Amino acid sequence: MTTLIEQLRAALGSDQVLIGTEAAGYLTDQHGRLKGRALAVVRPADTAQVAEVVRLCRAHLTPIVPQGGNTGLMGGATPDDSGQAVVLSLARLTRVRAIDTDNDTLTVEAGALLAQVQQAAREAGRLFPLSLGSQGSCTIGGNLSTNAGGTQVLRYGNMRELVLGLEVVTAEGDIWNGLRGLRKDNTGYALRDLYVGSEGTLGIITAATLKLHPLPQTQQTALLAFGCIRNAVAFLSAARAGFGASLTAFELLSDTAVGLIARHVPQQPLPLAPGTPWYALIELSDNEGDDHARQRFEAVVGQAFEDGLVHDAAIAESLQQSQSMWRLRDEALGLAQKRDGGNIKHDVSVPISRIPDFLEATAAALQAQFPGVRPVTFGHLGDGNLHYNVSHAPDGPVATLFAQEDAIHRIVHDSVHAHGGSISAEHGVGQSKRDLLPRYKSAVELELMRRLKAAFDPLGLLNPGKVLSHTASPLLSAPALPAGAADESLS
Ligand SMILES: Cc1cc2nc3c(=O)[nH]c(=O)nc-3n(C[C@H](O)[C@H](O)[C@H](O)COP(=O)(O)OP(=O)(O)OC[C@H]3O[C@@H](n4cnc5c(N)ncnc54)[C@H](O)[C@@H]3O)c2cc1C
């Protein structure tokens, strides 16, 4: 009887079945914190080969871990340490299959890099608006499977809102061709929407038909300073009303975050001096010419100055200045946090109107238990998504902070929940947040998720142990916190 490895080699060619040191790069997560083992890493060339791999693995009852660019931050693409699973890399499925400018759609295979898709759209005179710090290495399949967000969700939505159709290999190794370029299709259950965000646990996405948008002709970037978070939230509301659909980004940065950049990345120009509690990097995209965008900008920001909402503002006068402002947010901030010794990260969302209360309550709860720790808060205020990172006290060792990691997560996530938020806004669940779900989701919701998983993947071979655990029944576990309720007994 031939082994699975022999059958995979026969199906894909020996050079596309990696074992030993050749496989090592696929078995560790983005931060190098999670390390798994695998029977093999396979690199199919097309959808038919993906389906064949799934059928072979199924016949051997072997779990499959789909992997795109491996930039996910929740360990979803990393196998466990049993060494039983096959990692299925989509990296060779990179073809743009079609661009239809009359329908404003682009059909692309799952392993194409996000940056390549943005480029292909641009060459066709269109915009594919998903925009992430990892766009040079993450894939469209990974973006779909995590329902990725990024800096332009405020205007264009997250990945679920940018896709019209999917091609998926099911747990049985069948190919579902749902590559429909339709904006209206009410013919039953929305399977596409179930696969999006399912982190490889329901099926393997092999291609997608994506929505394209008009390419904006002018962009206006500015950094604004606010005396308090309530003013920043009030200005967001004024900006939405004043700019309408032209407002494409509203990125918040706390003074602590800007201070870290000033200290650790001194070569990064700061258009406004540190020292004001909050900053926002905003962007307008317009099709009506530079003068129009500038005039609108000055009218809305001018009114906000008069209303006392905005404390200071710097407008980018050139493409270089705009790029430098974005580097502040995209590159310098990440580097500054690393050079500061790292911190405990949270990717959360809260209704925008409750963000000021959330920030005050969470900071107070952290100070009460861990005096001196510093929240380094930034994120996509425009869609309520905060990256709420907790750094060590200036005079406290980093190791002491990390020794308290679970307790700090608990304080932040309980506060998120108490303010009606979500403990994962855009990075997903993977293995890192899996065991937190029963505390923050109701047993009914978890049971429905389990039933879906059982219906789509009855043998439990697709990315097992990600999003949902293998065993624990949510109906038997301790009752979850009611939504919006703080739980004193657990803190
Ligand atoms: C510097 C940096 C910045 C980032 N910024 C953002 C941001 O702004 N917003 C954001 O949302 N995320 C961000 N991320 C996280 C990450 O880039 C995204 O989650 C991205 O969508 C993952 O894509 P990937 O191809 O790397 O997927 P992977 O990491 O390979 O996989 C992620 C999950 O999807 C599954 N998967 C991958 N491909 C498929 C497929 N074809 N079919 C089925 N399942 C599949 C995997 O099993 C895994 O569960 C950032 C990461 C980094 C390192």
Side-chain angles (χ1 to χ4, degrees):
M1 203 174 70
T2 53
T3 65
L4 175 59
I5 299 277
E6 285 163 344
Q7 290 173 350
L8 289 167
R9 283 183 175 142
L12 307 183
S14 297
D15 55 338
Q16 301 303 339
V17 180
L18 314 180
I19 53 173
T21 50
E22 282 185 317
Y26 297 80
L27 306 180
T28 303
D29 80 321
Q30 177 62 216
H31 293 305
R33 288 182 82 178
L34 298 166
K35 292 188 192 342
R37 291 167 57 232
L39 196 62
V41 175
V42 297
R43 293 167 38 93
D46 54 28
T47 303
Q49 286 196 353
V50 173
E52 180 63 10
V53 168
V54 172
R55 284 194 293 269
L56 291 173
C57 288
R58 181 179 154 84
H60 289 264
L61 294 180
T62 295
I64 300 165
V65 179
Q67 190 176 98
N70 199 17
T71 68
L73 299 172
M74 293 292 116
T78 309
D80 65 18
D81 60 5
S82 69
Q84 307 278 308
V86 163
V87 173
L88 192 161
S89 166
L90 281 298
R92 293 174 70 214
L93 278 75
T94 57
R95 272 186 325 129
V96 174
R97 292 192 189 165
I99 299 184
D100 179 347
T101 49
D102 286 339
N103 197 39
D104 274 332
T105 50
L106 179 153
T107 298
V108 66
E109 292 181 344
L113 298 181
L114 172 56
Q116 289 168 344
V117 171
Q118 293 168 338
Q119 179 62 21
R122 234 182 339 262
E123 282 165 13
R126 298 290 186 276
L127 174 75
F128 182 66
L130 190 75
S131 174
L132 314 181
S134 54
Q135 60 202 26
S137 18
C138 64
T139 63
I140 287 297
N143 301 151
L144 286 158
S145 302
T146 57
N147 188 23
T151 52
Q152 306 215 33
V153 172
L154 158 74
R155 162 71 179 86
Y156 298 101
N158 48 20
M159 197 59 184
R160 183 171 278 118
E161 284 146 289
L162 298 174
V163 61
L164 294 175
L166 290 182
E167 179 186 84
V168 176
V169 171
T170 70
E172 287 71 34
D174 295 327
I175 299 169
W176 172 54
N177 183 343
L179 288 173
R180 301 172 190 134
L182 300 176
R183 287 166 178 79
K184 287 190 166 182
D185 176 18
N186 282 349
T187 52
Y189 304 131
L191 298 180
R192 175 197 67 203
D193 290 346
L194 288 175
Y195 286 117
V196 175
S198 68
E199 302 185 46
T201 62
L202 301 182
I204 299 174
I205 297 170
T206 48
T209 297
L210 306 174
K211 262 191 228 174
L212 301 178
H213 288 265
L215 203 52
Q217 283 154 15
T218 56
Q219 275 172 334
Q220 191 84 61
T221 312
L223 188 70
L224 308 179
F226 301 92
C228 66
I229 187 66
R230 288 180 200 280
N231 282 357
V233 168
F235 177 71
L236 169 63
S237 184
R240 276 184 198 281
F243 299 133
S246 302
L247 183 65
T248 40
F250 198 113
E251 294 292 303
L252 185 75
L253 294 128
S254 67
D255 184 43
T256 311
V258 174
L260 287 185
I261 296 171
R263 177 143 31 109
H264 296 293
V265 195
Q267 69 277 20
Q268 168 67 46
L270 291 178
L272 297 173
T276 313
W278 293 95
Y279 299 82
L281 180 63
I282 70 166
E283 188 154 271
L284 299 192
S285 305
D286 210 324
N287 274 330
E288 296 177 48
D290 283 337
D291 289 349
H292 183 264
R294 178 83 185 208
Q295 281 160 15
R296 274 179 95 184
F297 186 82
E298 286 176 356
V300 172
V301 175
Q303 183 62 49
F305 266 112
E306 275 181 33
D307 295 343
L309 295 181
V310 173
H311 178 76
D312 205 354
I315 302 177
E317 301 291 348
S318 64
L319 182 63
Q320 283 81 355
Q321 283 184 7
S322 161
Q323 287 169 340
S324 170
M325 283 185 186
W326 275 107
R327 266 198 301 280
L328 179 86
R329 162 68 181 89
D330 286 341
E331 291 161 32
L333 181 56
L335 194 58
Q337 291 178 88
K338 257 191 215 139
R339 289 182 177 166
D340 195 55
N343 49 33
I344 297 177
K345 300 192 186 302
H346 304 93
D347 159 49
V348 301
S349 63
V350 176
I352 296 167
S353 52
R354 300 189 70 181
I355 282 179
D357 290 346
F358 162 75
L359 289 171
E360 282 166 20
T362 314
L366 285 169
Q367 289 311 316
Q369 212 164 324
F370 303 105
V373 295
R374 293 162 301 159
V376 179
T377 311
F378 58 96
H380 319 299
L381 186 69
D383 48 76
N385 177 188
L386 296 177
H387 297 304
Y388 191 92
N389 297 344
V390 181
S391 281
H392 57 96
D395 51 353
V398 179
T400 314
L401 176 85
F402 278 98
Q404 307 296 339
E405 186 164 1
D406 286 345
I408 289 175
H409 284 321
R410 176 61 68 90
I411 289 172
V412 174
H413 289 149
D414 277 4
S415 182
V416 165
H417 187 76
H419 289 85
S422 165
I423 63 160
S424 182
E426 60 177 9
H427 296 160
V429 176
Q431 45 184 309
S432 304
K433 287 189 177 168
R434 179 196 67 198
D435 296 336
L436 301 179
L437 288 196
R439 183 171 173 85
Y440 302 109
K441 275 190 183 291
S442 71
V444 171
E445 192 170 352
L446 277 171
E447 180 58 18
L448 288 169
M449 285 169 63
R450 277 188 188 287
R451 282 192 220 158
L452 272 175
K453 169 73 177 167
F456 278 68
D457 178 23
L459 300 179
L461 297 177
L462 292 180
N463 219 0
K466 311 295 167 55
V467 183
L468 294 168
S469 62
H470 296 287
T471 46
S473 163
L475 290 177
L476 297 178
S477 60
L481 302 185
D487 184 348
E488 263 89 43
S489 67
L490 294 165
S491 58

